[in-house]
PDB file of all heavy atoms in Angstrom:
ATOM      1  N   TYR I 263      -3.754   0.360 -14.753  1.00  0.00           N
ATOM      2  CA  TYR I 263      -4.299   1.659 -15.121  1.00  0.00           C
ATOM      3  C   TYR I 263      -5.073   1.540 -16.418  1.00  0.00           C
ATOM      4  O   TYR I 263      -6.235   2.016 -16.569  1.00  0.00           O
ATOM      5  CB  TYR I 263      -3.276   2.754 -15.180  1.00  0.00           C
ATOM      6  CG  TYR I 263      -3.048   3.500 -13.848  1.00  0.00           C
ATOM      7  CD1 TYR I 263      -2.096   3.059 -12.995  1.00  0.00           C
ATOM      8  CD2 TYR I 263      -3.780   4.552 -13.601  1.00  0.00           C
ATOM      9  CE1 TYR I 263      -1.848   3.702 -11.729  1.00  0.00           C
ATOM     10  CE2 TYR I 263      -3.624   5.243 -12.379  1.00  0.00           C
ATOM     11  CZ  TYR I 263      -2.623   4.806 -11.483  1.00  0.00           C
ATOM     12  OH  TYR I 263      -2.450   5.530 -10.292  1.00  0.00           O
ATOM     13  N   SER I 271     -11.087  -3.578  -2.366  1.00  0.00           N
ATOM     14  CA  SER I 271     -11.692  -4.851  -2.080  1.00  0.00           C
ATOM     15  C   SER I 271     -12.937  -4.733  -1.291  1.00  0.00           C
ATOM     16  O   SER I 271     -13.020  -4.088  -0.218  1.00  0.00           O
ATOM     17  CB  SER I 271     -10.627  -5.680  -1.215  1.00  0.00           C
ATOM     18  OG  SER I 271     -10.997  -7.032  -1.104  1.00  0.00           O
ATOM     19  N   MET I 380      19.321   9.579   3.459  1.00  0.00           N
ATOM     20  CA  MET I 380      18.251  10.277   4.089  1.00  0.00           C
ATOM     21  C   MET I 380      17.009   9.347   4.312  1.00  0.00           C
ATOM     22  O   MET I 380      16.390   9.317   5.344  1.00  0.00           O
ATOM     23  CB  MET I 380      17.794  11.443   3.247  1.00  0.00           C
ATOM     24  CG  MET I 380      16.650  12.247   3.854  1.00  0.00           C
ATOM     25  SD  MET I 380      16.268  13.769   2.886  1.00  0.00           S
ATOM     26  CE  MET I 380      15.680  13.062   1.435  1.00  0.00           C
ATOM     27  N   ARG I 393       8.587  -9.748   1.943  1.00  0.00           N
ATOM     28  CA  ARG I 393       8.352 -10.775   2.959  1.00  0.00           C
ATOM     29  C   ARG I 393       6.766 -11.081   3.098  1.00  0.00           C
ATOM     30  O   ARG I 393       6.351 -12.183   3.016  1.00  0.00           O
ATOM     31  CB  ARG I 393       8.984 -10.494   4.264  1.00  0.00           C
ATOM     32  CG  ARG I 393       8.754 -11.567   5.324  1.00  0.00           C
ATOM     33  CD  ARG I 393       9.618 -11.477   6.519  1.00  0.00           C
ATOM     34  NE  ARG I 393       9.207 -12.420   7.509  1.00  0.00           N
ATOM     35  CZ  ARG I 393       9.513 -13.709   7.493  1.00  0.00           C
ATOM     36  NH1 ARG I 393      10.221 -14.252   6.561  1.00  0.00           N
ATOM     37  NH2 ARG I 393       9.027 -14.491   8.523  1.00  0.00           N
TER      38      ARG I 393
ATOM     39  N   LYS R  27     -19.862  -2.362  10.779  1.00  0.00           N
ATOM     40  CA  LYS R  27     -20.118  -2.920  12.110  1.00  0.00           C
ATOM     41  C   LYS R  27     -18.890  -3.724  12.637  1.00  0.00           C
ATOM     42  O   LYS R  27     -19.025  -4.394  13.625  1.00  0.00           O
ATOM     43  CB  LYS R  27     -21.321  -3.844  11.962  1.00  0.00           C
ATOM     44  CG  LYS R  27     -22.633  -3.121  11.723  1.00  0.00           C
ATOM     45  CD  LYS R  27     -23.909  -4.004  11.828  1.00  0.00           C
ATOM     46  CE  LYS R  27     -24.038  -4.952  10.684  1.00  0.00           C
ATOM     47  NZ  LYS R  27     -24.361  -4.336   9.379  1.00  0.00           N
ATOM     48  N   TYR R  54     -14.448   3.912   2.872  1.00  0.00           N
ATOM     49  CA  TYR R  54     -15.388   2.939   2.180  1.00  0.00           C
ATOM     50  C   TYR R  54     -16.758   3.557   2.211  1.00  0.00           C
ATOM     51  O   TYR R  54     -17.391   3.537   1.129  1.00  0.00           O
ATOM     52  CB  TYR R  54     -15.417   1.619   2.956  1.00  0.00           C
ATOM     53  CG  TYR R  54     -14.415   0.636   2.445  1.00  0.00           C
ATOM     54  CD1 TYR R  54     -13.164   0.523   2.988  1.00  0.00           C
ATOM     55  CD2 TYR R  54     -14.747  -0.256   1.354  1.00  0.00           C
ATOM     56  CE1 TYR R  54     -12.242  -0.442   2.603  1.00  0.00           C
ATOM     57  CE2 TYR R  54     -13.882  -1.226   0.935  1.00  0.00           C
ATOM     58  CZ  TYR R  54     -12.584  -1.278   1.520  1.00  0.00           C
ATOM     59  OH  TYR R  54     -11.662  -2.246   1.059  1.00  0.00           O
ATOM     60  N   SER R  62      -4.818   7.268  -8.084  1.00  0.00           N
ATOM     61  CA  SER R  62      -4.369   8.627  -8.415  1.00  0.00           C
ATOM     62  C   SER R  62      -4.188   8.672  -9.893  1.00  0.00           C
ATOM     63  O   SER R  62      -3.413   7.992 -10.565  1.00  0.00           O
ATOM     64  CB  SER R  62      -2.944   8.783  -7.674  1.00  0.00           C
ATOM     65  OG  SER R  62      -2.546  10.189  -7.725  1.00  0.00           O
ATOM     66  N   MET R 171       6.737 -15.711  13.682  1.00  0.00           N
ATOM     67  CA  MET R 171       6.720 -16.102  12.223  1.00  0.00           C
ATOM     68  C   MET R 171       6.765 -14.928  11.321  1.00  0.00           C
ATOM     69  O   MET R 171       7.548 -14.916  10.256  1.00  0.00           O
ATOM     70  CB  MET R 171       5.440 -16.877  11.958  1.00  0.00           C
ATOM     71  CG  MET R 171       5.334 -17.393  10.554  1.00  0.00           C
ATOM     72  SD  MET R 171       3.900 -18.490  10.289  1.00  0.00           S
ATOM     73  CE  MET R 171       2.561 -17.349  10.505  1.00  0.00           C
ATOM     74  N   ARG R 184       7.831   5.927   8.788  1.00  0.00           N
ATOM     75  CA  ARG R 184       8.901   6.730   8.360  1.00  0.00           C
ATOM     76  C   ARG R 184       8.612   7.409   6.958  1.00  0.00           C
ATOM     77  O   ARG R 184       8.734   8.652   6.802  1.00  0.00           O
ATOM     78  CB  ARG R 184      10.225   6.011   8.262  1.00  0.00           C
ATOM     79  CG  ARG R 184      11.351   6.841   7.823  1.00  0.00           C
ATOM     80  CD  ARG R 184      12.738   6.243   8.149  1.00  0.00           C
ATOM     81  NE  ARG R 184      13.764   6.983   7.534  1.00  0.00           N
ATOM     82  CZ  ARG R 184      14.259   8.208   8.038  1.00  0.00           C
ATOM     83  NH1 ARG R 184      13.854   8.580   9.169  1.00  0.00           N
ATOM     84  NH2 ARG R 184      15.240   8.828   7.410  1.00  0.00           N
TER      85      ARG R 184
END
Side-chain angles (χ1 to χ4, degrees):
Chain I
Y263 269 92
S271 192
M380 181 176 66
R393 181 165 172 80
Chain R
K27 295 190 286 292
Y54 270 91
S62 192
M171 182 174 67
R184 181 165 171 79

